[in-house]
Amino acid sequence: MSRIDGRTPQQLRPVTIERGWSKHAEGSVLVSFGDTKVLCNASVTEGVPRWRKGSGEGWVTAEYAMLPRATNTRGDRESVKGRIGGRTHEISRLIGRSLRAVIDYKALGENTVVLDCDVLQADGGTRTAAITGAYVALADAIGWAQGHKLIKANRKPLTGTVSAVSVGIVDGTPLLDLRYEEDVRADTDMNVVCTGDGRFVEVQGTAEAEPFARDELNTLLDLATAGCTELAELQRKALEATLER
Amino acid sequence: MSRIDGRTPQQLRPVTIERGWSKHAEGSVLVSFGDTKVLCNASVTEGVPRWRKGSGEGWVTAEYAMLPRATNTRGDRESVKGRIGGRTHEISRLIGRSLRAVIDYKALGENTVVLDCDVLQADGGTRTAAITGAYVALADAIGWAQGHKLIKANRKPLTGTVSAVSVGIVDGTPLLDLRYEEDVRADTDMNVVCTGDGRFVEVQGTAEAEPFARDELNTLLDLATAGCTELAELQRKALEATLER
Amino acid sequence: MSRIDGRTPQQLRPVTIERGWSKHAEGSVLVSFGDTKVLCNASVTEGVPRWRKGSGEGWVTAEYAMLPRATNTRGDRESVKGRIGGRTHEISRLIGRSLRAVIDYKALGENTVVLDCDVLQADGGTRTAAITGAYVALADAIGWAQGHKLIKANRKPLTGTVSAVSVGIVDGTPLLDLRYEEDVRADTDMNVVCTGDGRFVEVQGTAEAEPFARDELNTLLDLATAGCTELAELQRKALEATLER
Amino acid sequence: MSRIDGRTPQQLRPVTIERGWSKHAEGSVLVSFGDTKVLCNASVTEGVPRWRKGSGEGWVTAEYAMLPRATNTRGDRESVKGRIGGRTHEISRLIGRSLRAVIDYKALGENTVVLDCDVLQADGGTRTAAITGAYVALADAIGWAQGHKLIKANRKPLTGTVSAVSVGIVDGTPLLDLRYEEDVRADTDMNVVCTGDGRFVEVQGTAEAEPFARDELNTLLDLATAGCTELAELQRKALEATLER
Amino acid sequence: MSRIDGRTPQQLRPVTIERGWSKHAEGSVLVSFGDTKVLCNASVTEGVPRWRKGSGEGWVTAEYAMLPRATNTRGDRESVKGRIGGRTHEISRLIGRSLRAVIDYKALGENTVVLDCDVLQADGGTRTAAITGAYVALADAIGWAQGHKLIKANRKPLTGTVSAVSVGIVDGTPLLDLRYEEDVRADTDMNVVCTGDGRFVEVQGTAEAEPFARDELNTLLDLATAGCTELAELQRKALEATLER
Amino acid sequence: MSRIDGRTPQQLRPVTIERGWSKHAEGSVLVSFGDTKVLCNASVTEGVPRWRKGSGEGWVTAEYAMLPRATNTRGDRESVKGRIGGRTHEISRLIGRSLRAVIDYKALGENTVVLDCDVLQADGGTRTAAITGAYVALADAIGWAQGHKLIKANRKPLTGTVSAVSVGIVDGTPLLDLRYEEDVRADTDMNVVCTGDGRFVEVQGTAEAEPFARDELNTLLDLATAGCTELAELQRKALEATLER
């Protein structure tokens, strides 16, 4: 089987991670997985939500959204509709949980980092691109906070790295990093979030058409784990360069 | 390790499935997994949402909610807050997807079934209890619709059965069907939805504290598959009796 | 005239008052007037709303709601619509006022009791069943608060008892405790809330079709007063038993 | 006991009913009960709400609101808060029901009349003033509709007249038509809506402090009936004059 | 060209400014520009919004709204729709900015004045009538606050006067103070807010149909400046009389 | 006086207009005025809003929004707040009106173009950049619609071009195209929208601190007209190139 863009089943799309995209945010990354482009801005503020005050621990949260014309057909703005949809809620929560999995709250101190992940252009895999980019923005934001003495320099608020990728079974073939056209044809669709050491943070598999068997699940997990490892390496390289502010 | 209620790690709580609970709904099931009690009402209406009209295919959807004092501390009503929270959205979507996995839309015809899953008392595992109970309510609702000629008697809108259970790792031990007190202490928490033939409809694993390794994932999947098989048998038995209307 | 369920005009439906229904709430009553079933949960919290702080006085309030399929036709959830309807507002306010009529705020101290009255199944008279059940849940909640030293044992926050019943004129005959089918055919519909000593807390009479004359009003008040007295006796009996917690 | 404004207990405040207040509305009445001023605008539109289409019957509904500074202390706008409060809902529904009690839907034909009752200045009794004024605006709107051939000239959509007044027990004395200062001191507060022939459309009595006995209720109903009769006469006189349009 | 009401192009409609309209508000003005009637109530409260606390400076803000039947066709209530429309937002902000242009925040001290401008009847120019009337209500409110020692008597919170008028080009002729029928036919529509000394606070010109040239703009500004001067004189006269409270 | 970025008072910031930014939208422009970056996506759909159906005329509308971290301090999402703020409403309406000023509705036919202007990074002048960029996106969208036969090739829906710029008086000096730091220090702030032939579509001047005199207004209009002419030339050049799709 040949994929619409000529990739092998195990191949990621071209991935770019552009740091320092916006001049305002403490961490700002424009991540692209092929034609999927997500702007991930990390905002640092001193203090924590009320329920956490006085704990000595910090907080990390995320909000995901799509521009109305990020997709092929224009979607109504959630601000105009006056309410956030279920899909938006679900993905925002997923991104937040994924990043908190590599945070040491004590080391972060009573600071809050909000990750805004806004999809500028969508072509499948927006949530996994968002997690992958948001990790880098978070790392830059923590670097900024240490540079500005909000976090002590000898603390390590990040306990690891985190990246994510989608996998799915299309026409019987397990594929890595689905484009939109592949995604809508998939029988099974799975999003996997891994730490850099190859363990799982989130595994979310859904039978879109046909229930899936244990061995199919295993094949997909193999694909996803390899993809996350590759993404972790790309994150590492992106963070090597010194960020000019 | 002994569990707070004396169960073995592989043991479900006492499960009851009471059909015909409400006199109004076409399918009405009060399901309990121990102290978790969920009222699952299935409502059948002729016709489908606008985007599906004329397709000849039906639709199945679900709404999940908790009574304000279903939990130990009273929660504000979402109707009073004027918006549905992310958790509610997420679970409603999960229940809908899970039930649609065993629906043949063509056989259902242009009819809609709405599953209302209202948690009357919560003690962990409300979403998996809801799926397990909602399947039985759905089966009764389809029976009703066939009795009332909305669906032809020779059609089979249900392509299989579906049940769900939670699993998790608490203090290093993988456990089946977590109570609330176990759930809050779990390192990893997974909800698994299976068909009666042992395949997966949904696998949602989350590292609450520590990322989890592949072998831990495998152990949890084994536990969950066994639990779902047991629940499928309880569903089958519950549906054997004739429902008086 | 014979009523649809064979009752005499002056007869209540079978009434049950089940205390301790939920394990979480400080007072929890499942009340049924025939097929009308309302779960009344009382939640006690220390402290009072901001506008009452420092007064030394407590507060009692209520929220009423119906499950979507409590009725013959499914109603949309108010949480999904994003707003509470006029009927819900009106009944919540009525329940709150009715219970506050028998509360000594000073004796309650700066504690708040919220009564959640959720209709699980409706067949007419849901608001009057809710008031009758909520009184018992409130009594249990106050007992709990005294047991937990939130309220001093020698204080008497309850100055009396309160119960409620509907009455109406159907085909020229005044009837007590209307079922839904009677209610929709009633020319005049009245809800009456009484204290245990036979005085009125609320009298709400509405001409659904034809305006009503003074003597009709008098007949309805006689019926309602007798009904409330009977309910007060049932409440008293229900509260005699010791509640296991 | 002498009242704050020198009235006897059985005396209404000075009542004025000014027709044709606004040039746009089909019926427009500025009604005042002393310092309480309510602008009642009736809007006629052809057609009825969806659920009534094809029935040949009309519809009458009402919306009540207060200007933010109608009262002594400024209240937040409900449009700014994004939701209508319980009190507003309750009164809007009361006004609508009261006017529908004197409407023959068949004679009205498939036309809708909306009564907007906006309180410009409040000093107690705003809902009863609104009903009394809205009746006159409704009569003018129906006259307009007959003049414009929306309703046939030989039909009589109004089957009677309707007026309303508040009564209450203050310091043990039953009083008619309470001002705000009297209202806040009342033990019992009752709003009574009567037809011109002395029958009841709505009776809403509330024990604000102390439950009330049957003989107190009777005294209040006597007072209210007399007050409504007087108001019906004032409505009749106001409608005698020809309205210039 | 003769205008529909016989005015010359440079002529205002009859303007009335009635002070002390409501007994509750600290400043209350019913302003009319012909058939446009706006009730402007000024409410004074001690203290300022949170973001201004401790600054020693006051705050002035405004809210504009229309009664549903202020216009020829009934508009839905924004409270019922659950959201404020763009036009309402825009005009509320314009009124607030216009009044703040003549406020010395330091002299006002930490007090807040809210101007509620409710259109009772509309016939074009509601926002400019609102600004013109609100200025007078604001002056009365400040007088009240000085009388009640909230503001020291020797302070001058008002640094000038402010009035507003609409101008437009209809069928090629520049006109002052447009009525609704003129407004809908205008090619260009401009609202101008001036101080009493003839300087500009706001200039808002909009090409409704055809873009406008610089010389047309100049003609309109001449007309508007003259109109505002005339209105400033009417405001001055209205404020000369002593206001009985 | 030297400006913070070394520009002369009459000088625009570097302006870039990048067409075809998103692959999905029928017209897609990333416009930048210095550090202000706005993504303007034009979406074409057949058909018009209900109130315009059957008229043979098209419709153009706009929605403006800011990403939460487009600014120096993170702003809450309007979707999360559940309502659109006054500023957003005001600017969306301004953009829509400005573009409609150069549209021939008949030539557009019953098609709708929605312009989504999302500010990715803000540094003053976001609304004027949005108008300038949206015009180019609109032109591309109309070209697309003609290429796809939604609009006949010989029709000219665009009657001219439109661009916009901000001007203001800072420390007594009139400046063109204010950056954020200049904007907050401006006494007077004006946004001017011009057609390519030098006429005005919108003139919105606001006295932020001190009211402004007629000659100051004239100077600002001169500056703005020259700026708009320059921008019109940049738009013309941007549109010269063939857009690859």
Side-chain angles (χ1 to χ4, degrees):
Chain A
M1 172 186 156
S2 83
R3 298 176 73 171
I4 40 176
D5 50 9
R7 280 184 288 155
T8 65
Q10 302 83 348
Q11 201 176 344
L12 291 173
R13 288 177 282 180
V15 170
T16 65
I17 297 174
E18 184 182 346
R19 290 163 67 205
W21 195 88
S22 156
K23 72 172 187 175
H24 295 304
E26 284 76 36
S28 177
V29 166
L30 182 65
V31 66
S32 63
F33 279 35
D35 282 338
T36 288
K37 297 182 190 178
V38 186
L39 178 56
C40 307
N41 281 335
S43 299
V44 178
T45 46
E46 283 191 76
V48 283
R50 186 183 316 197
W51 50 271
R52 217 173 172 85
K53 274 187 186 153
S55 66
E57 302 194 341
W59 187 240
V60 172
T61 186
E63 291 186 6
Y64 166 97
M66 271 202 181
L67 292 196
R69 196 57 199 277
T71 47
N72 198 258
T73 313
R74 184 178 186 271
D76 290 335
R77 281 176 198 270
E78 295 184 322
S79 59
V80 170
K81 288 192 285 188
R83 54 178 74 188
I84 284 182
R87 181 182 175 278
T88 299
H89 257 144
E90 200 170 303
I91 299 178
S92 294
R93 286 157 58 88
L94 171 65
I95 301 171
R97 279 199 312 272
S98 297
L99 295 173
R100 286 193 294 272
V102 293
I103 283 290
D104 175 341
Y105 295 129
K106 280 283 177 206
L108 186 56
E110 288 205 12
N111 297 294
T112 297
V113 188
V114 180
L115 276 302
D116 285 294
C117 300
D118 287 88
V119 180
L120 305 186
Q121 186 173 275
D123 188 24
T126 60
R127 78 190 70 186
T128 48
I131 291 167
T132 305
Y135 168 76
V136 178
L138 175 60
D140 277 340
I142 286 172
W144 179 92
Q146 291 184 316
H148 287 72
K149 315 286 184 199
L150 265 74
I151 301 174
K152 289 193 184 148
N154 64 346
R155 296 265 179 104
K156 298 204 165 171
L158 285 172
T159 61
T161 76
V162 72
S163 60
V165 78
S166 73
V167 286
I169 300 176
V170 180
D171 298 335
T173 310
L175 300 179
L176 179 68
D177 187 19
L178 308 186
R179 289 184 58 172
Y180 178 73
E181 288 180 65
E182 293 171 336
D183 188 65
V184 294
R185 289 170 47 217
D187 283 331
T188 295
D189 180 20
M190 188 174 294
N191 292 293
V192 178
V193 185
C194 290
T195 49
D197 61 3
R199 286 182 300 159
F200 299 108
V201 169
E202 287 271 342
V203 173
Q204 296 200 341
T206 298
E208 298 287 344
E210 193 67 4
F212 52 99
R214 183 69 174 266
D215 59 344
E216 290 172 311
L217 175 58
N218 283 335
T219 310
L220 289 173
L221 288 169
D222 291 343
L223 260 185
T225 310
C228 282
T229 303
E230 210 173 321
L231 289 165
E233 180 60 18
L234 291 169
Q235 291 173 320
R236 198 188 55 74
K237 278 191 192 147
L239 284 165
E240 269 177 7
T242 303
L243 179 64
E244 281 180 52
R245 303 216 184 234
Chain B
M1 171 189 156
S2 81
R3 298 175 74 171
I4 40 175
D5 49 10
R7 281 185 288 156
T8 66
Q10 304 83 347
Q11 199 176 348
L12 291 173
R13 289 177 282 181
V15 171
T16 65
I17 298 176
E18 183 181 347
R19 291 164 67 206
W21 196 88
S22 156
K23 70 171 189 176
H24 295 304
E26 285 75 37
S28 177
V29 166
L30 182 65
V31 65
S32 62
F33 279 36
D35 281 339
T36 288
K37 298 182 190 178
V38 186
L39 178 56
C40 307
N41 281 335
S43 299
V44 178
T45 46
E46 284 193 76
V48 282
R50 188 183 315 201
W51 50 272
R52 218 172 169 86
K53 274 187 186 153
S55 65
E57 302 193 340
W59 188 239
V60 172
T61 185
E63 292 186 2
Y64 166 97
M66 272 201 180
L67 292 196
R69 195 57 200 277
T71 46
N72 198 257
T73 314
R74 185 178 183 273
D76 289 335
R77 282 177 197 269
E78 295 184 323
S79 59
V80 170
K81 287 192 286 187
R83 56 178 72 189
I84 283 182
R87 182 182 174 279
T88 298
H89 256 145
E90 200 170 305
I91 298 178
S92 293
R93 287 158 56 89
L94 171 65
I95 301 172
R97 279 199 313 271
S98 296
L99 295 174
R100 287 194 293 272
V102 293
I103 283 289
D104 175 341
Y105 295 129
K106 281 282 176 205
L108 186 57
E110 287 204 12
N111 297 294
T112 298
V113 188
V114 180
L115 276 303
D116 285 295
C117 301
D118 287 271
V119 179
L120 304 186
Q121 187 172 275
D123 189 23
T126 61
R127 76 189 72 186
T128 49
I131 291 168
T132 304
Y135 168 75
V136 177
L138 175 61
D140 277 340
I142 285 173
W144 179 93
Q146 291 185 317
H148 286 72
K149 315 288 184 198
L150 267 75
I151 301 174
K152 288 195 185 144
N154 63 346
R155 299 260 181 108
K156 296 205 166 169
L158 286 172
T159 63
T161 75
V162 71
S163 61
V165 77
S166 73
V167 285
I169 300 177
V170 181
D171 298 337
T173 309
L175 300 179
L176 179 68
D177 187 21
L178 308 186
R179 289 184 58 173
Y180 178 73
E181 287 180 66
E182 292 171 338
D183 188 65
V184 295
R185 289 170 46 219
D187 282 331
T188 296
D189 179 20
M190 186 172 297
N191 291 294
V192 178
V193 186
C194 290
T195 49
D197 61 4
R199 288 182 298 160
F200 298 108
V201 169
E202 288 272 343
V203 173
Q204 296 200 340
T206 298
E208 297 288 344
E210 193 67 6
F212 51 99
R214 183 70 172 266
D215 59 343
E216 291 172 311
L217 175 58
N218 283 334
T219 310
L220 289 173
L221 288 169
D222 291 342
L223 259 185
T225 309
C228 282
T229 302
E230 209 173 323
L231 289 165
E233 180 61 16
L234 292 169
Q235 290 173 319
R236 197 186 57 72
K237 277 190 192 148
L239 283 165
E240 268 176 5
T242 304
L243 179 64
E244 280 181 54
R245 300 219 185 233
Chain C
M1 171 186 159
S2 81
R3 298 176 74 170
I4 39 175
D5 50 9
R7 282 185 287 157
T8 65
Q10 303 82 350
Q11 200 176 345
L12 291 173
R13 288 178 281 181
V15 171
T16 64
I17 298 174
E18 184 182 346
R19 291 163 67 206
W21 195 88
S22 156
K23 71 171 188 175
H24 296 304
E26 284 76 35
S28 176
V29 166
L30 182 65
V31 65
S32 63
F33 279 35
D35 281 340
T36 289
K37 298 183 190 178
V38 186
L39 178 56
C40 307
N41 280 336
S43 299
V44 178
T45 45
E46 282 192 78
V48 283
R50 187 183 315 199
W51 49 272
R52 216 173 172 86
K53 276 188 184 152
S55 66
E57 302 194 339
W59 187 239
V60 172
T61 186
E63 291 186 4
Y64 166 97
M66 271 202 181
L67 292 197
R69 195 58 199 279
T71 47
N72 198 258
T73 315
R74 184 176 184 274
D76 289 337
R77 281 176 198 270
E78 295 184 321
S79 59
V80 171
K81 287 193 286 188
R83 56 177 73 188
I84 284 182
R87 181 182 175 277
T88 299
H89 256 144
E90 200 170 303
I91 299 179
S92 293
R93 287 158 56 89
L94 171 66
I95 301 171
R97 279 200 312 273
S98 297
L99 296 174
R100 287 193 294 270
V102 293
I103 283 289
D104 176 341
Y105 294 130
K106 280 284 178 205
L108 186 56
E110 288 204 12
N111 297 295
T112 297
V113 188
V114 179
L115 276 302
D116 285 294
C117 300
D118 287 272
V119 179
L120 304 187
Q121 186 173 274
D123 189 23
T126 60
R127 77 189 71 186
T128 48
I131 291 168
T132 303
Y135 168 76
V136 178
L138 175 60
D140 277 339
I142 286 173
W144 179 93
Q146 292 185 316
H148 286 72
K149 315 285 184 199
L150 267 73
I151 301 173
K152 288 191 185 151
N154 63 345
R155 295 264 180 107
K156 296 203 167 172
L158 285 173
T159 63
T161 76
V162 72
S163 61
V165 78
S166 73
V167 285
I169 300 177
V170 180
D171 298 337
T173 309
L175 301 179
L176 179 70
D177 188 20
L178 308 185
R179 290 184 56 174
Y180 178 73
E181 288 179 65
E182 293 171 336
D183 188 64
V184 294
R185 289 170 49 218
D187 283 330
T188 295
D189 179 21
M190 188 173 293
N191 292 293
V192 178
V193 185
C194 290
T195 49
D197 61 4
R199 287 182 300 160
F200 299 109
V201 168
E202 287 272 341
V203 173
Q204 296 200 341
T206 298
E208 296 288 344
E210 193 66 7
F212 51 100
R214 182 69 173 268
D215 59 343
E216 291 173 311
L217 176 58
N218 283 335
T219 310
L220 289 174
L221 289 169
D222 291 342
L223 261 184
T225 310
C228 281
T229 303
E230 212 174 319
L231 290 165
E233 180 60 18
L234 292 169
Q235 290 173 320
R236 197 188 55 74
K237 278 190 192 146
L239 284 164
E240 269 176 8
T242 304
L243 179 64
E244 280 181 52
R245 301 210 184 242
Chain D
M1 170 190 158
S2 80
R3 299 175 74 172
I4 40 175
D5 50 10
R7 282 185 288 155
T8 65
Q10 302 82 352
Q11 201 177 345
L12 291 173
R13 288 177 283 181
V15 171
T16 64
I17 298 174
E18 184 183 345
R19 291 163 66 206
W21 195 87
S22 156
K23 71 170 188 175
H24 294 304
E26 285 74 37
S28 177
V29 166
L30 182 65
V31 65
S32 62
F33 279 36
D35 282 339
T36 288
K37 297 183 190 178
V38 186
L39 179 56
C40 306
N41 281 335
S43 300
V44 178
T45 45
E46 283 192 75
V48 282
R50 187 184 315 202
W51 50 272
R52 216 171 170 85
K53 273 186 186 153
S55 66
E57 304 194 339
W59 187 239
V60 173
T61 186
E63 291 186 4
Y64 165 98
M66 273 201 178
L67 292 196
R69 195 56 199 278
T71 46
N72 198 258
T73 313
R74 184 177 184 275
D76 289 335
R77 282 177 197 269
E78 294 184 324
S79 58
V80 171
K81 287 192 285 187
R83 55 176 74 190
I84 284 183
R87 182 183 174 277
T88 298
H89 256 146
E90 199 170 306
I91 299 178
S92 294
R93 286 158 58 89
L94 171 65
I95 300 171
R97 279 200 312 271
S98 296
L99 295 173
R100 287 193 293 272
V102 293
I103 283 289
D104 176 340
Y105 294 130
K106 280 283 178 206
L108 186 58
E110 287 205 11
N111 297 293
T112 298
V113 189
V114 180
L115 276 303
D116 284 295
C117 300
D118 287 89
V119 180
L120 305 186
Q121 186 173 274
D123 189 22
T126 60
R127 77 189 74 185
T128 49
I131 291 168
T132 303
Y135 169 75
V136 177
L138 175 60
D140 277 339
I142 285 173
W144 179 92
Q146 291 185 317
H148 286 72
K149 315 288 184 197
L150 265 74
I151 301 174
K152 288 193 185 148
N154 63 345
R155 297 263 180 107
K156 297 203 165 170
L158 286 173
T159 62
T161 74
V162 72
S163 60
V165 76
S166 74
V167 286
I169 300 177
V170 180
D171 297 337
T173 309
L175 300 179
L176 179 69
D177 187 21
L178 308 186
R179 290 184 56 172
Y180 178 73
E181 287 179 66
E182 293 171 336
D183 188 66
V184 294
R185 290 169 46 219
D187 283 331
T188 295
D189 179 20
M190 187 173 296
N191 292 293
V192 178
V193 186
C194 289
T195 50
D197 61 4
R199 288 182 298 161
F200 299 108
V201 169
E202 287 271 341
V203 173
Q204 295 200 342
T206 298
E208 298 286 345
E210 191 69 5
F212 51 100
R214 182 71 172 265
D215 59 343
E216 291 173 311
L217 174 58
N218 283 333
T219 310
L220 289 173
L221 288 169
D222 291 342
L223 259 184
T225 309
C228 281
T229 302
E230 212 174 321
L231 289 165
E233 180 59 18
L234 292 169
Q235 290 173 320
R236 197 187 55 73
K237 278 193 191 145
L239 284 165
E240 268 177 6
T242 304
L243 179 63
E244 281 181 52
R245 299 214 185 238
Chain E
M1 170 187 158
S2 81
R3 297 176 75 171
I4 40 175
D5 50 9
R7 282 186 288 155
T8 66
Q10 303 81 350
Q11 200 177 345
L12 291 172
R13 288 177 282 181
V15 171
T16 64
I17 298 174
E18 184 181 346
R19 293 163 65 206
W21 195 88
S22 155
K23 71 171 188 176
H24 295 304
E26 285 74 37
S28 177
V29 167
L30 183 66
V31 66
S32 64
F33 279 34
D35 282 340
T36 289
K37 297 182 190 178
V38 186
L39 179 55
C40 306
N41 280 336
S43 299
V44 178
T45 46
E46 284 192 76
V48 283
R50 188 184 315 200
W51 49 272
R52 218 172 169 85
K53 274 186 186 154
S55 66
E57 303 194 340
W59 186 241
V60 173
T61 186
E63 291 186 6
Y64 166 97
M66 273 202 179
L67 292 196
R69 195 58 200 278
T71 47
N72 199 258
T73 313
R74 184 177 186 273
D76 289 336
R77 283 177 197 269
E78 295 184 322
S79 58
V80 170
K81 287 192 286 188
R83 54 176 75 188
I84 283 182
R87 182 182 173 277
T88 298
H89 257 145
E90 200 170 304
I91 299 179
S92 294
R93 286 158 56 89
L94 171 64
I95 301 171
R97 280 200 310 273
S98 297
L99 295 174
R100 288 193 293 271
V102 293
I103 284 289
D104 175 341
Y105 294 130
K106 280 281 178 207
L108 186 58
E110 288 205 13
N111 297 294
T112 298
V113 189
V114 180
L115 276 303
D116 285 294
C117 300
D118 286 90
V119 180
L120 305 186
Q121 188 173 272
D123 189 23
T126 60
R127 76 189 73 185
T128 49
I131 291 167
T132 304
Y135 168 75
V136 177
L138 175 59
D140 277 340
I142 286 173
W144 179 92
Q146 291 185 315
H148 287 72
K149 316 285 185 200
L150 266 72
I151 301 174
K152 287 192 186 151
N154 63 346
R155 296 264 179 106
K156 297 204 165 171
L158 286 173
T159 62
T161 76
V162 73
S163 61
V165 78
S166 74
V167 287
I169 300 177
V170 180
D171 298 336
T173 310
L175 300 180
L176 179 69
D177 187 19
L178 308 186
R179 289 184 56 173
Y180 178 72
E181 288 179 66
E182 294 171 336
D183 188 65
V184 294
R185 289 169 47 217
D187 283 331
T188 295
D189 179 21
M190 187 174 294
N191 292 294
V192 178
V193 185
C194 290
T195 49
D197 62 3
R199 288 182 298 160
F200 299 108
V201 169
E202 286 272 341
V203 173
Q204 296 200 340
T206 297
E208 297 287 345
E210 193 67 5
F212 51 99
R214 182 69 173 268
D215 59 345
E216 291 173 310
L217 175 58
N218 283 334
T219 310
L220 289 173
L221 289 169
D222 291 342
L223 261 184
T225 310
C228 281
T229 302
E230 211 174 320
L231 289 165
E233 180 60 17
L234 291 168
Q235 290 173 320
R236 198 189 53 73
K237 277 190 193 148
L239 284 165
E240 269 177 7
T242 304
L243 180 64
E244 281 179 51
R245 302 215 184 237
Chain F
M1 171 190 156
S2 80
R3 298 175 74 173
I4 40 175
D5 50 10
R7 283 185 287 156
T8 66
Q10 302 82 350
Q11 200 177 345
L12 291 172
R13 288 176 282 181
V15 171
T16 64
I17 298 175
E18 183 182 346
R19 289 162 68 206
W21 195 87
S22 156
K23 72 171 187 174
H24 295 303
E26 285 76 37
S28 177
V29 166
L30 182 65
V31 64
S32 63
F33 280 35
D35 282 340
T36 288
K37 298 183 190 177
V38 186
L39 178 56
C40 306
N41 280 336
S43 299
V44 178
T45 46
E46 283 192 77
V48 282
R50 187 182 316 199
W51 50 272
R52 218 175 170 83
K53 274 187 186 152
S55 66
E57 303 193 339
W59 187 239
V60 172
T61 186
E63 291 186 5
Y64 165 97
M66 272 201 179
L67 292 195
R69 195 58 199 278
T71 46
N72 198 258
T73 314
R74 185 178 184 273
D76 289 335
R77 282 176 197 269
E78 294 184 323
S79 58
V80 170
K81 287 192 286 187
R83 55 177 72 190
I84 284 181
R87 182 182 175 278
T88 298
H89 257 144
E90 201 169 303
I91 298 178
S92 293
R93 287 158 57 88
L94 171 66
I95 300 171
R97 279 200 311 272
S98 297
L99 295 174
R100 287 193 294 271
V102 293
I103 284 290
D104 176 342
Y105 294 130
K106 280 282 177 206
L108 186 57
E110 287 204 12
N111 297 295
T112 298
V113 189
V114 180
L115 276 303
D116 285 295
C117 300
D118 286 272
V119 180
L120 306 186
Q121 187 172 274
D123 189 21
T126 61
R127 76 188 75 185
T128 49
I131 291 167
T132 303
Y135 169 76
V136 178
L138 175 60
D140 276 340
I142 285 172
W144 179 92
Q146 291 185 317
H148 287 72
K149 314 287 185 200
L150 267 73
I151 301 174
K152 289 194 184 146
N154 63 346
R155 297 262 180 107
K156 296 203 164 167
L158 285 173
T159 63
T161 76
V162 71
S163 60
V165 78
S166 74
V167 286
I169 301 177
V170 180
D171 298 337
T173 310
L175 300 180
L176 180 69
D177 188 21
L178 308 185
R179 290 184 57 172
Y180 178 74
E181 288 180 66
E182 294 171 336
D183 188 64
V184 295
R185 288 170 47 219
D187 283 330
T188 296
D189 179 19
M190 188 173 295
N191 291 294
V192 178
V193 186
C194 291
T195 50
D197 61 4
R199 287 183 300 160
F200 298 109
V201 169
E202 288 272 342
V203 173
Q204 296 200 340
T206 298
E208 297 288 344
E210 193 66 9
F212 51 100
R214 183 70 173 265
D215 59 344
E216 290 172 310
L217 175 58
N218 284 333
T219 309
L220 289 174
L221 289 169
D222 290 342
L223 260 184
T225 309
C228 281
T229 302
E230 210 173 322
L231 289 165
E233 180 59 18
L234 291 169
Q235 289 173 320
R236 198 187 54 74
K237 277 191 193 146
L239 284 164
E240 268 177 5
T242 303
L243 179 64
E244 280 181 53
R245 300 216 185 236

